[in-house]
Amino acid sequence: MAVPKKRTSKMKKRQRRSHHRLAGLNLARCAHCGAAIRPHRVCHNCGQYKGEAVVQMDDF
Ligand SMILES: [Zn+2]
C-alpha cells in the first residue's frame, strides 16, 4: 500500500481545503409571481413552470 513519505503541513492541508467550500445557490425569478426560484424547478410560491400551472397550490 502506498504510504506518504512526509507528513502534510498545516499550510498545505489548508491550501488544499480552501477549494472545498460550497458554491452559493443559483437563483432565478419566477416569471409569474417574481419569487426567487431555483432554475428548472417548479415555483414553490405559485406552482408554475414555464408559464404553465403544473402544481395546484390549493392541494396543499
Ligand atoms: Zn411563482
Side-chain angles (χ1 to χ4, degrees), residues 41-60:
R41 283 164 180 83
V42 172
C43 176
H44 277 248
N45 192 46
C46 64
Q48 298 236 341
Y49 184 72
K50 280 188 160 183
E52 252 180 79
V54 289
V55 179
Q56 293 303 319
M57 295 311 280
D58 41 294
D59 294 349
F60 300 102

Side-chain angles (χ1 to χ4, degrees), residues 21-25:
R21 68 191 174 279
L22 294 172
L25 278 182

Side-chain angles (χ1 to χ4, degrees), residues 14-24:
R14 288 166 184 173
Q15 281 175 342
R16 182 175 66 240
R17 291 180 183 176
S18 72
H19 299 278
H20 288 189
R21 68 191 174 279
L22 294 172

